[in-house]
Amino acid sequence: MSDPIIKIQNMNKWFGDFQVLKNINLEVEANKKIVVCGPSGSGKSTLIRCINRLEEHQEGDIIVDGNELSEKTKDIEKIRAEVGMVFQQFNLFPHLSILDNCTLAPIWVKKMPKKEAQELALDQLKKVQIDDQANKFPGQLSGGQQQRCAIARALCMQPKIMLFDEPTSALDPEMIKEVLDAMVSLAKGGMTMIVVTHEMGFAKEVADEVIFMDEGMIIEKADTKEFFANPKSDRTKLFLSQIL
Amino acid sequence: MIQTINFLKPNRDNIKNYSIIGSFLVLVSLIDVISNAFLKINLTSFLPGSLTTLFPLIIGLIGLNMMRIDYSGNKTLDLLNKNINTNNFNALLTLLILFSIIKALPQSLSWMILDATISGDSKDACTGTGACWTYIKVWFRRFMYGMYPNEFHWRINTAFILVIALGFVGYFMKENLKKYLALYYVIIYPVIAYLVIYYLISGGSFGLQWVETGAWGGLSLTFIVSFFCLIFCFPLGMIFALGRRSNLPAIKYISICYIEFWRGVPLITVLFMSSVMFPMFLPEDFFMDKLVRVIIAITLFEAAYCAEVIRGGLQSLPRGQYDAAKSLGMGYWKMHIFVILPQALKLVIPGIANTFLALVKDTPLIFVVGLAELAGMLALAKTNPKWLGFAMEGYIFASIVFWIICYAMSKYSYNLEAKYKTER
């Protein structure tokens, strides 16, 4: 078995006096798909934001692809370039066209030639089926199309890991499916994924492991089948009974 | 009286007749006032004393009252009722304002145009009761070029044409050079513009006679000062806006101190300091021209305002934009250059236009250190013994010139806003 691509040990994080993450231990192997669920305010988003250091942790170690994340980390940009992220609010750049959204980082961060970057971007946009919208601006697209563009934008950096922070929570029910479809096909392509979501159908379909969090702690971590069929803690049972 | 007026209320069925009668009455009141003001004929002289004066007001009020209805379906009428005829009080105000304008028109028209003088070339030509535009005509070159020698005015004109032409270079730049656009406008262009103005307007080489900056003046000086201050204060303001939001404490507090210092002192003291105090701190053999010192002073001053305007734009961007840029592996500078600043600067166009307009209108203050731009030349001209008593004409002229400049600038800022509007 290979070394885990993400390794979190005894990690604690505070916002001021409030401890959001308590003693987190987590290992993710390459090509695995992890779904993180739990009630709101349980620290799920903060956890995955720590993995590409959009949030700083105060105690413990986070090791991503062999690099430890800390204040001393010099090339945090290099690590972030390896870790794609998709946000709840899409966060496309509204002043750039869809194509430019996708080519910006490859051209300026990875120093890719413009032509090559555009071909790559169109290829990724095609995979999420919005290559026909490439010259429009984000404001002209529906929420589902914007979120698929955000996925394509992250993939254009050819990351090793993809983080999804509630990618469907801001979408109309009709559009959730098209985004989930894109994520499912990405998962089947073998990407390492950590997904914070309330879509239990998605978890059942693609996840290797499910993590349940509450009040900043990992309450339960189990194989997907085991998690749904035979949850151990009472808190998990309660949560599942409400959400399913 | 209110009771009787209320009795004349229209409803939707008879509004057509009522509005015709109403507008007729308003028309009568207007004709009465106009004939009174312009032709000096009192149409209602048959009425007793005070009633003659009040006649148009009463007739107009009744007329407007008859036209007032909540909703008629007639677009013009509804617009009128909604905006200037909502109730009797507003109708009264409308009429009073309208009448005042009409009453004031004949006097101002006759002063500015009908009785005004423009012929001749000395004060003796101005014998009429109206404005003396001869004064502006005679002094026009002074107002434009200050005390700059007449025979060299072509040098100022050429320099300005060159600087403006160089400003348009960006439009014609080749596509593959576009990425150097910011570099061009922030560094190369100001340097070239400085050299052009130095060698052409100051002279001293290439066989051009040296003209010291003390002789510069008039509108051309307004342009020179505004131009350099605008072009330098914007990038400087941007640096301090970013600095104030920096995570590095030293940079952050230096920026805060800078901004708060310059925002806290009046421009007029800054100008005095730059021209009187500043040279005292310099070594004796070091010389810096007064105009340059003034430009630096205004630039530093306005940069603080620009910084705060730009910071407002930076703060209004959602945090997600920063997160997204970071998550794509962009560092501080890439994130700001490609993602944050293009959006923030677009948002602050109105605020920056505001600051720039204020800057242009602040330039007359340089008169206190002895530099006479347009308003300064006016102040000099009005105390000229041969031309005493024409301050009014001069200030009207200056207002019109400043208004044209500022209106052009604000129009341009609207264009920029429209040009860079991509979302929604």
Side-chain angles (χ1 to χ4, degrees), chain B residues 96-134:
Chain B
L96 280 177
I97 292 169
L98 218 57
F99 293 167
S100 313
I101 293 173
I102 294 170
K103 287 263 188 196
L105 257 178
Q107 276 96 324
S108 38
L109 268 181
S110 66
W111 186 82
M112 284 187 74
I113 297 164
L114 297 175
D115 294 343
T117 327
I118 194 158
S119 58
D121 46 17
S122 77
K123 191 186 175 182
D124 305 330
C126 295
T127 48
T129 49
C132 182
W133 299 124
T134 315

Side-chain angles (χ1 to χ4, degrees), chain B residues 20 112 122 145 231 315 331 361-362 367 387 396 417 423:
Chain B
I20 290 170
M112 284 187 74
S122 77
Y145 303 105
I231 211 164
Q315 264 167 355
K361 289 189 291 181
D362 276 349
F367 188 54
W387 290 93
I396 288 177
E417 267 179 75
E423 51 265 43

